[in-house]
Amino acid sequence: MLLFTAVMLVPIGYAVYLSLFTEQRSGLGFGDARTVFTGFGNYARALGDSAYRTGFLTIVQYCVIYIPVMLGVSLLVALLLDSALARAKRFFQLALFLPHAVPGIIAALVWTYLYTPGISPVLGVLHSAGGQLDLLGHPLPAVVNMAVWEWTGYNMVIFYAALQAIPREVLEAAVVDGAGPLRTALSIKLPLIRASITMVGMFTVIGSLQLFTEPMILYRTAPAVVSSWTPNMYAYTAAFDRNDYGLAAASSVLLALVAAALSFVVTRATRSRAERRSEATA
Amino acid sequence: MTTLSSPDRAAARRTRPTPAPGRAVRRQWSLSKAAVNGALVLFTLYTLLPLGWLVTASAKNTPDLLGGNTLTLSNIHLGQNLHDLATADGGIYFRWYLNSLLYAGIGALLCAFICVCAGYAFEVYRFRGKEKLFGLVLVGVLVPTTALALPMYLLASKVGLVNTFWSVLLPSLVNPFGVYLARVFCAGYVPGEVLEAARMDGAGELRTFWSIGLKMVMPGFVTVFLFQFTAIWNNFFLPLVMLSDSKLFPVSLGLYSWNTQTRGEPGYYPLVVTGALLAVLPLVVAFVALQRHWKAGLTAGSVK
């Protein structure tokens, strides 16, 4: 009993200790082997740096494009799979889930090659057809496409599982009431899996804040990606190119705080909506 | 009324209260069936295209690769590429591969064990502040891991662990979501009566957990293991921050370092592509073989 509690507390304690440690450390700027306590100076510096703020702006733009596309497509595919018309459901599920088994770094590498004129057969075909597609000059859609490729299938499987959990009686009732497949999907299935849509949305936002791997690969080939393109890249550059650990830690902590605040707001919002609904039905 | 399986559901929908389903209705039906499956096929093509490219491109030599002549099955150099891969930079690639296997294998095994212990404790025992603690675990799920990577680096450099095997292994042992999953699985698989019976038979708490709880929750264990294995295998940011000695690199980081060299040395291109293919294979095999488990994991996470 004690043992289990210990085993369980160690990781949590470690995490807590770590976060406290960061709070302390983030208040330190490293001089020449001499640390000076600067309080919130590093936070002020990070927030005052326009490059850092631009990084967040990048994330906002990225989310505005990526989240609707990803959620829309994965919901659509899940609903199609759940419809009585789909064949080979297991095959489709597996095939669409596979990108999740591909390391992000490798996905980014492959797509970067597919974006590079000369290497890419896709661009080659487009070119011979007289088309032009300069994705390396437009990193945002380039990165969004990578993310969509990596995550849509994964989330689709989550949605599909949720759809499968809908009691069959409910769907039969809908059919008896004369609802067509489309109507059933929109008015019955979607509201019933709202919880998992919210959850996926939240994890997606948190994941988006951490955007790092994909732009880091593009950074080598696409001039439009600068070293502080996302907050995480900013923190990394601060730590390893400029050896400014205080600034790096501060920008990391800020990022974590923003993520925590966002998820808190989202969960609160959905919970209160659920409570309101239960009160309304009571 | 029995619940209908999906072909029957289709049949139920097809018999609409229309006067005898005529040919028009049926044609519309097959059209939409074609549309649904067509959309699925299209999306699958989009999903599989990069993987297909990876497979064919890894068999090409440098001029073909850089000439965009990749999606064909002609001019195969796979054997040569594998040979180059095994010998490049003193055969370091397979060392990376071994590192990845060690990091992911040991890390996921220990992590799954810790998660199952914790989940079991949360589910079976009562102690003060249990739910508060569990809430803390759930908060842990929401903290972005990469945001913690830099603080961990600072911590590790304080302790002198930077650039060691441990610096990558230790942080991978903690997985709050795994604890949550394990608890869900324990709730589902371990009936209280069985534990009662074990105690009646005189088994201690440890013995009960070890011989009964753990065995019953094995499917959950495999699921957590699979997810954590994937996460560690695919992790890039943590090793990037922690390691500077290329002998300790996992595959992901090694390929990245090679990719940065392709600018000056185009000869590295086939190495990166072939190496990428080999790095993807074990996971793809694992996911195809263990379908039941990852589906179970995703289901437990999504259906609350």
Side-chain angles (χ1 to χ4, degrees):
Chain A
M1 164 73 219
L2 270 177
L3 178 92
F4 293 132
T5 329
V7 167
M8 184 183 60
L9 277 172
V10 167
I12 297 171
Y14 177 64
V16 171
Y17 169 72
L18 205 70
S19 62
L20 289 176
F21 190 85
T22 322
E23 301 288 3
Q24 294 168 4
R25 178 59 76 87
S26 57
L28 305 177
F30 278 78
D32 304 333
R34 193 172 62 91
T35 52
V36 188
F37 182 76
T38 54
F40 286 108
N42 282 321
Y43 288 92
R45 269 202 306 154
L47 286 174
D49 190 341
S50 65
Y52 187 60
R53 292 201 303 266
T54 315
F56 275 103
L57 193 66
T58 306
I59 298 289
V60 170
Q61 291 172 325
Y62 165 86
C63 283
V64 165
I65 307 176
Y66 166 57
I67 292 180
V69 170
M70 194 278 297
L71 279 182
V73 174
S74 56
L75 275 172
L76 178 72
V77 174
L79 285 170
L80 288 179
L81 263 187
D82 190 54
S83 77
L85 302 168
R87 292 281 163 268
K89 293 178 190 218
R90 283 188 59 146
F91 163 76
F92 280 129
Q93 266 200 84
L94 182 65
L96 298 177
F97 186 78
L98 274 188
H100 182 67
V102 177
I105 178 105
I106 289 176
L109 277 174
V110 170
W111 277 109
T112 306
Y113 288 178
L114 289 177
Y115 294 156
T116 310
I119 299 183
S120 166
V122 182
L123 290 183
V125 169
L126 267 180
H127 193 75
S128 54
Q132 276 282 323
L133 191 62
D134 176 23
L135 276 165
L136 292 179
H138 302 90
L140 202 61
V143 173
V144 165
N145 177 53
M146 288 178 186
V148 165
W149 184 77
E150 271 180 85
W151 289 103
T152 303
Y154 179 86
N155 293 324
M156 183 277 294
V157 173
I158 293 182
F159 291 146
Y160 183 68
L163 284 170
Q164 291 285 303
I166 295 176
R168 292 284 164 254
E169 294 81 2
V170 177
L171 298 177
E172 280 160 27
V175 174
V176 171
D177 288 347
L182 199 66
R183 178 72 199 276
T184 311
L186 291 178
S187 326
I188 297 183
K189 289 181 182 175
L190 279 185
L192 279 174
I193 61 166
R194 182 178 283 146
S196 49
I197 298 178
T198 311
M199 189 187 77
V200 166
M202 194 168 71
F203 279 123
T204 308
V205 172
I206 294 172
S208 304
L209 280 173
Q210 306 180 54
L211 195 59
F212 178 81
T213 306
E214 291 84 355
M216 198 70 188
I217 300 286
L218 277 173
Y219 172 53
R220 305 278 162 196
T221 41
V225 179
V226 288
S227 66
S228 59
W229 203 62
T230 69
N232 239 336
M233 286 173 80
Y234 178 90
Y236 177 78
T237 319
F240 293 94
D241 289 356
R242 291 186 281 166
N243 290 334
D244 189 343
Y245 292 122
L247 186 63
S251 42
S252 276
V253 172
L254 276 173
L255 183 64
L257 283 178
V258 169
L262 268 177
S263 35
F264 182 72
V265 168
V266 170
T267 39
R268 276 301 291 271
T270 49
R271 189 178 303 158
S272 62
R273 197 188 311 149
E275 276 162 13
R276 269 206 303 278
R277 226 180 321 149
S278 61
E279 277 164 23
T281 51
Chain B
M1 178 170 178
T2 54
T3 49
L4 302 172
S5 63
S6 62
D8 296 341
R9 250 165 70 201
R13 273 190 214 158
R14 224 172 306 175
T15 50
R16 287 189 195 149
T18 47
R23 196 176 299 166
V25 175
R26 199 162 308 156
R27 181 171 316 138
Q28 185 197 356
W29 198 249
S30 60
L31 260 181
S32 59
K33 184 183 273 189
V36 166
N37 288 298
L40 287 174
V41 168
L42 269 181
F43 194 73
T44 310
L45 279 178
Y46 161 78
T47 305
L48 295 182
L49 171 86
L51 292 172
W53 179 88
L54 189 61
V55 171
T56 54
S58 58
K60 304 293 175 192
N61 56 9
T62 314
D64 267 357
L65 190 62
L66 297 184
N69 181 20
T70 37
L71 275 172
T72 55
L73 286 173
S74 61
N75 209 357
I76 301 274
H77 284 273
L78 185 59
Q80 182 62 39
N81 281 355
L82 287 176
H83 176 259
D84 292 347
L85 191 65
T87 51
D89 290 353
I92 198 159
Y93 177 80
F94 285 101
R95 175 158 193 145
W96 290 339
Y97 213 87
L98 186 69
N99 287 343
S100 265
L101 278 177
L102 285 175
Y103 288 134
I106 300 174
L109 205 62
L110 289 175
C111 171
F113 184 69
I114 292 174
C115 287
V116 168
C117 287
Y120 179 86
F122 269 128
E123 189 53 41
V124 172
Y125 299 114
R126 293 197 189 90
F127 50 89
R128 268 190 30 225
K130 177 167 111 163
E131 291 308 322
K132 278 204 180 66
L133 254 181
F134 195 67
L136 201 61
V137 172
L138 290 183
V139 169
V141 171
L142 301 176
V143 175
T145 39
T146 39
L148 284 180
L150 273 175
M152 280 196 206
Y153 166 78
L154 299 174
L155 185 65
S157 63
K158 194 90 171 165
V159 190
L161 280 178
V162 167
N163 206 10
T164 62
F165 184 80
W166 300 106
S167 65
V168 176
L169 189 70
L170 285 178
S172 356
L173 297 184
V174 185
N175 181 352
F177 187 66
V179 175
Y180 166 77
L181 266 189
R183 183 176 180 177
V184 172
F185 275 113
C186 283
Y189 285 124
V190 187
E193 296 84 354
V194 176
L195 298 179
E196 287 295 316
R199 286 187 196 122
M200 294 286 283
D201 290 346
E205 292 301 345
L206 270 178
R207 174 78 196 274
T208 308
F209 169 70
W210 190 251
S211 350
I212 298 183
L214 200 57
K215 281 209 174 56
M216 285 187 131
V217 81
M218 215 54 206
F221 184 87
V222 175
T223 303
V224 176
F225 176 85
L226 180 68
F227 274 90
Q228 191 63 6
F229 189 91
T230 314
I232 301 175
W233 186 275
N234 293 351
N235 199 345
F236 167 69
F237 194 69
L238 184 73
L240 174 73
V241 169
M242 291 286 188
L243 302 173
S244 51
D245 178 4
S246 65
K247 284 197 180 65
L248 292 170
F249 282 6
V251 168
S252 57
L253 194 53
L255 289 174
Y256 172 76
S257 68
W258 271 356
N259 188 51
T260 54
Q261 298 183 20
T262 48
R263 282 233 148 148
E265 285 272 340
Y268 275 106
Y269 273 116
L271 291 179
V272 171
V273 175
T274 313
L277 178 68
L278 287 190
V280 169
L281 279 180
L283 290 177
V284 170
V285 169
F287 273 110
V288 173
L290 299 170
Q291 277 189 67
R292 202 165 51 89
H293 287 283
W294 55 258
K295 280 180 191 159
L298 290 177
T299 318
S302 64
V303 186
K304 291 203 179 94

